[in-house]
Amino acid sequence: MTGAEFIKRLKEAKLLLPPLAGYTDYPYRRILTEFDAPFMCTEMISCEAVARGNPRTTRMLKKPDGAHMHGAQIFGDEPDTMAEAAQVIESMGFDYVDINMGCAVKALTQNGAGVSLMGEPIKAGEVVSSVVKSVSIPVTCKIRLGESRRELNAPELSMVLEDAGVAAITVHGRSGEKKFGEPVNYDMIKEVVETVSIPVVGNGGVFTGTDTVEMMKTGVDAVMPGRGLIGNPWIISELRSSLLGGAFSEPLLEERKATCIRHLMYLIDFSGEKDGVLTMRRVLPRYFMGAVHASDLRIRMTEISSKQDALSILDKLVQRDDQIIYLRD
Ligand SMILES: Cc1cc2nc3c(=O)[nH]c(=O)nc-3n(C[C@H](O)[C@H](O)[C@H](O)COP(=O)(O)O)c2cc1C
């Protein structure tokens, strides 16, 4: 796919789904295909591991079939290795490659990757140039407002990235201190939009249609939810209805349960019952976030060890009027 096709699809769909480590794995991406996701992305993946052909990493790059555009996100700070990894990703049939310049986890930043690349614009430009030159699929970047709140350089860095040839930039409207509670700085996202001529995707605090409308006021071409996608594939139609029109209604309990059970089955198919159920311990409660006694549900989930345990917990969720209730023991 060319950069022009990518941009056309992005401007039509106005919705890019995020990379989420520990969540946008192959089983969940299978679920997302069933919800007509226009774009989706892998979890962040180390460029060294991709370039070396590490078997665990290759598994993380498994792609579900579907009409969506599929991206893979890589992290690293070494231009040649990042280029090698991008070539592997292109050869696997991915539609685009995204470069992580937003992750604030120490394991990445202490090695110069993730958000720390934002503090070194020259190096960031070299990494991106090297990747852009090595592949013919579009390259995108996901950044924050800056490495820290004292160094908010997203507009300046965006110019560097545009010059280096990226097709689009996603801006998470917070700085790199890793505090999700901080409000999103819409003004600075707007500044990025006004600085570059490539599409900008707004990210941070997009959980509902109302948040989407607020984010679109910055002039971004598309929005990207984050935490709102976890255990909530319905966010795709919720955001789409506020972006493009059309009705949206919250799923009823039975639909939530059925989707959660399919997710469990896909996890077990992919990783076996033991590991699949381990992942489900943190995923299942996210499907029932607002339930009465949700904290008891979360505690109970930490004890499960089989598919049957997970199904028994789902049996204890009931709907009364508008409320979902977990019937604790
Ligand atoms: C559990 C979790 C995993 C994440 N993993 C990634 C990742 O792999 N790559 C990335 O660029 N951002 C990652 N992020 C950041 C999100 O993509 C997004 O930028 C952030 O959550 C802000 O959006 P929100 O306020 O809507 O949650 C992650 C966030 C969470 C909560």
Side-chain angles (χ1 to χ4, degrees):
M1 192 189 37
T2 64
E5 282 165 334
F6 175 87
I7 290 171
K8 183 168 177 282
R9 287 275 289 264
L10 181 64
K11 288 188 169 183
E12 280 164 8
K14 303 185 197 304
L15 176 64
L16 204 61
L17 295 190
L20 291 167
Y23 291 96
T24 52
D25 52 13
Y26 173 70
Y28 193 44
R29 283 181 278 120
R30 268 183 85 182
I31 294 281
L32 297 177
T33 62
E34 297 166 7
F35 284 78
D36 279 338
F39 290 85
M40 67 180 71
C41 190
T42 64
E43 311 166 69
M44 62 178 173
I45 300 181
S46 142
C47 69
E48 281 104 17
V50 179
R52 263 190 272 115
N54 174 308
R56 194 174 156 265
T57 306
T58 306
R59 253 170 72 75
M60 288 171 82
L61 287 167
K62 194 169 154 89
K63 273 171 35 257
D65 292 331
H68 54 272
M69 306 255 120
H70 206 317
Q73 191 192 57
I74 48 173
F75 67 84
D77 76 323
E78 211 283 305
D80 290 343
T81 318
M82 287 290 274
E84 257 183 79
Q87 283 169 348
V88 172
I89 283 160
E90 179 172 37
S91 73
M92 293 178 80
F94 280 94
D95 299 298
Y96 65 100
V97 57
D98 186 62
I99 298 177
N100 182 316
M101 290 196 193
C103 183
V105 169
K106 204 166 161 202
L108 266 73
T109 55
Q110 70 190 4
N111 294 316
V115 76
S116 62
L117 270 178
M118 287 195 75
E120 293 193 61
I122 295 174
K123 186 164 142 194
E126 284 167 3
V127 166
V128 173
S129 260
S130 168
V131 172
V132 168
K133 282 185 195 135
S134 72
V135 291
S136 50
I137 52 175
V139 178
T140 55
C141 258
K142 185 162 176 284
I143 67 173
R144 293 206 188 213
L145 298 182
E147 195 180 1
S148 75
R149 70 172 74 83
R150 287 176 308 283
E151 305 147 281
L152 301 178
N153 64 342
E156 296 81 1
L157 183 75
S158 295
M159 281 196 278
V160 174
L161 304 180
E162 181 175 29
D163 287 346
V166 297
I169 300 172
T170 300
V171 186
H172 173 188
R174 299 185 179 96
S175 53
E177 284 90 358
K178 224 187 142 212
K179 287 199 182 115
F180 281 119
E182 274 186 10
V184 171
N185 182 337
Y186 295 106
D187 290 341
M188 201 149 178
I189 295 178
K190 189 162 180 250
E191 234 185 282
V192 175
V193 172
E194 286 163 359
T195 304
V196 293
S197 53
I198 50 174
V200 175
V201 182
N203 169 245
V206 176
F207 292 91
T208 63
T210 314
D211 302 330
T212 301
V213 171
E214 208 50 44
M215 183 60 90
M216 289 304 283
K217 285 184 193 160
T218 62
V220 290
D221 296 275
V223 301
M224 175 187 280
R227 289 161 292 169
L229 182 69
I230 301 175
N232 183 22
W234 298 275
I235 198 172
I236 297 170
S237 37
E238 181 171 4
L239 302 193
R240 185 182 276 144
S241 93
S242 75
L243 288 161
L244 307 174
F248 169 75
S249 49
E250 285 285 333
L252 294 174
L253 176 64
E254 286 317 310
E255 190 186 342
R256 283 187 189 277
K257 280 191 189 181
T259 307
C260 189
I261 291 172
R262 275 203 316 286
H263 193 163
L264 171 66
M265 297 312 167
Y266 295 166
L267 278 165
I268 292 174
D269 268 2
F270 190 57
S271 315
E273 181 165 354
K274 183 165 170 274
D275 288 349
V277 168
L278 269 182
T279 305
M280 208 49 182
R281 283 184 177 187
R282 62 188 149 79
V283 169
L284 186 147
R286 306 297 286 255
Y287 275 90
F288 306 99
M289 286 278 273
V292 176
H293 307 316
S295 55
D296 297 278
L297 169 66
R298 275 197 304 280
I299 293 167
R300 179 69 188 92
M301 282 306 293
T302 61
E303 301 157 359
I304 69 161
S305 55
S306 69
K307 173 176 136 190
Q308 195 45 52
D309 289 346
L311 295 176
S312 309
I313 288 190
L314 288 171
D315 281 342
K316 294 189 153 195
L317 283 152
V318 296
Q319 178 136 18
R320 295 210 183 117
D321 302 321
D322 273 353
Q323 235 164 13
I324 294 176
I325 302 170
Y326 172 62
L327 302 174
R328 51 191 175 176
D329 300 321

